[in-house]
Amino acid sequence: MTFDPAELGRSKSDLANRLRALRKRAGRTQVWLAQRCHISQTKLSNIETGRITPGAVDVDLILGALDAPPEVVADVAALARLAHTEWQGKRASRRRGLEKRQAELSGLEAEAKEFRYFLPAMVTGLLATPEYIRASLAHSPVDVSKTVAGKLQRQAILYDEAKRFTFLLTEQAVKWAVVPRLAMAVQFDRLVSMSRLPHVRIGIIPSGTAVGRGPMNTFTLYDRRLATVETFTGRIVFQDSRDITEHLEVFGMYERHALFNDEARALLEEWATAYRS
């Protein structure tokens, strides 16, 4: 099944309809199927009406109980994966208002305990100086002052010692010239400062590091339950366990090539000195 953002809005209802149709075609009742799958009849009813999106395990149990043929299993499994994927277009986000988007991110950050950020292109707002944030919004149709204030307010989460943060940045991302050289040096200093927090890890992947897999895109992992992938036109939100696992594996691979602690700080301080000279 190919990815089409337009399909994401329909995938949950399509999955519900498909599972219900398969049960009826097999001549089974909800009570019978629920018992075979060791789930409640209420849960099965909610799955078939689209009120609950079933996970991979639930889908496998249902398809197994109904003796679905391999081609049906593959098709429905792909549909289930799509049902756990959400497309958030930037145009729609702007129409809803950036304040709402900032509130959504704050809510997501408040719930999660462990954060992993892969940043191959530029520094994330959580680690950015006010000048860097302001400059990065130059081409966005938003209230810049209000947006900068909102992003700076969200940075307070970095001081919550109950949470753990790992940021992986390529050298290109660190040096991407969003602001003039002196302001970039201040941005390097900011990264050094934040890396000294005991629950914040900032890893740098220097240019020239031999890594077999290219950095395709920016992504963020919230615990082990959700991943967001950034594109030019929006973001994709993955909640399927298989997608989360794959992103964790990719993150781990890049993490093994990164420099942390004193090694990372030495690089950042060297670059800051060079940019000031």
Side-chain angles (χ1 to χ4, degrees), residues 18-29 48 66:
R18 189 73 183 277
L19 292 174
R20 184 172 63 252
L22 286 171
R23 175 182 60 78
K24 290 184 175 180
R25 189 174 302 130
R28 301 298 186 178
T29 65
E48 291 191 353
L66 296 175

Side-chain angles (χ1 to χ4, degrees), residues 98-100 102 133-134 137 142-153:
L98 198 59
E99 295 85 356
K100 186 172 179 61
Q102 292 292 321
I133 295 172
R134 183 175 295 275
L137 295 169
V142 298
D143 183 326
V144 173
S145 296
K146 187 179 292 186
T147 304
V148 171
K151 286 180 176 290
L152 292 176
Q153 185 176 13

